[in-house]
């Protein structure tokens, strides 16, 4: 029997993967998922690196402005999840 993945489950799975990517790229251990991305250390060239890793690992082509627009890593995970399943609005 196949398991249906709900939007919330997908978002949490994406969030876990994003936390790991942030740790690697930003070289930090603690990542607060309710902080704004720039507050977590995401700056210009690092955002490009984050975008590349997200594309490679999660298959989501995230527009760079989404990194700044998201109020938190948790909200950003919702954006990435929507891009993955094709429900993101243009």
């Amino acid at each position: 029997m196949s398991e249906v993945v709900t939007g919330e489950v997908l978002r949490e799975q994406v969030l876990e993967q994003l936390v790991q990517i942030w740790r690697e790229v930003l070289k930090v251990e603690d990542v607060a998922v309710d902080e704004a991305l720039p507050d977590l250390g995401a700056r210009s060239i690092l955002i490009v690196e984050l975008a590349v890793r997200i594309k490679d690992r999660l298959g989501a082509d995230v527009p760079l402005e989404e990194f700044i627009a998201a109020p938190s890593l948790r909200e950003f995970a919702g954006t990435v999840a929507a891009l993955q399943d094709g429900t993101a609005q243009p």
Side-chain angles (χ1 to χ4, degrees):
M1 183 167 90
S2 66
E3 183 177 322
V4 175
V5 178
T6 65
E8 185 62 32
V9 171
L10 178 59
R11 188 171 30 256
E12 287 302 313
Q13 291 171 347
V14 168
L15 181 59
E16 288 176 22
Q17 293 179 54
L18 289 176
V19 166
Q20 183 59 39
I21 292 170
W22 254 247
R23 286 179 177 149
E24 294 168 9
V25 173
L26 303 178
K27 298 179 181 9
V28 297
E29 188 58 35
D30 295 326
V31 176
V33 298
D34 292 314
E35 286 190 42
L37 302 179
D39 294 341
L40 294 172
R43 302 284 186 265
S44 53
I45 195 70
L46 293 177
I47 289 175
V48 173
E49 177 65 24
L50 293 166
V52 168
R53 290 194 191 200
I54 291 168
K55 175 74 171 170
D56 289 346
R57 292 192 197 170
L58 303 174
D61 192 9
V62 181
L64 297 179
E65 60 269 12
E66 292 296 334
F67 286 85
I68 303 304
S72 68
L73 185 55
R74 184 180 308 280
E75 293 296 319
F76 183 73
T79 299
V80 174
L83 288 166
Q84 278 186 314
D85 73 9
T87 61
Q89 297 296 317

